[in-house]
Amino acid sequence: MIEEPKRPRIAGDELIVETQGTAEVYDAKYLVAALLVFVAKGDGQISGSETAEMLRLFNDHFGLQSAESLGLITNAMEDITGNPDFENLIRELSVLVNVPEKEEIALMMLKVAAADGRKNAEELEKVRLAAELISTSAETLHRAYDRYFSETMTD
């Protein structure tokens, strides 16, 4: 007998999705990994410099070591390609982050998009789409762009 999936629920800072007798638990770190991978794959592939930037961002933001960060990134890559409901999962997870965190995530996405040194329209479009998926306002996204440019501009 096929078991009906239950409505995802929030418990603390985790999203729990129960299907067919198992429970998948997602947290804000997974959300960030999924969004960064989504952006990095915007041009069709994830470069070594984009992967290195994601690992650096996870270390800086969450204090995670490379192995744990790589595990999150790998899980996100598998989910993007293998989960037909990926976008809805991301929308559900977005309730775990507040506006300042959304701005920080947008800044991270911009850094990943720029990591390979190319100005790629596809990746910037993915930044916009990812921000939309987590209900990031235009003002919040604009602040992230301002922060990115102030950090990267040289005199």
Side-chain angles (χ1 to χ4, degrees), residues 55-123:
L55 294 174
R56 186 191 67 73
L57 289 167
F58 271 95
N59 181 274
D60 291 352
H61 192 76
F62 296 113
L64 298 180
Q65 298 302 313
S66 293
E68 188 175 356
S69 300
L70 193 56
L72 280 168
I73 292 166
T74 302
N75 288 343
M77 281 193 254
E78 290 170 358
D79 283 350
I80 286 173
T81 57
N83 185 344
D85 203 31
F86 176 76
E87 288 185 9
N88 283 329
L89 173 64
I90 296 303
R91 282 187 186 96
E92 294 277 351
L93 276 167
S94 72
V95 302
L96 298 176
V97 292
N98 59 33
V99 172
E101 292 167 329
K102 288 178 183 183
E103 182 180 328
E104 193 65 29
I105 292 168
L107 178 61
M108 287 189 228
M109 291 188 299
L110 290 168
K111 289 178 179 181
V112 168
D116 56 11
R118 295 189 310 257
K119 306 278 191 284
N120 191 302
E122 290 88 1
E123 286 180 343

Side-chain angles (χ1 to χ4, degrees), residues 4 11 32 40 57 87 90 135 149:
E4 287 293 317
V32 172
L57 289 167
E87 288 185 9
I90 296 303
S135 302
F149 289 122

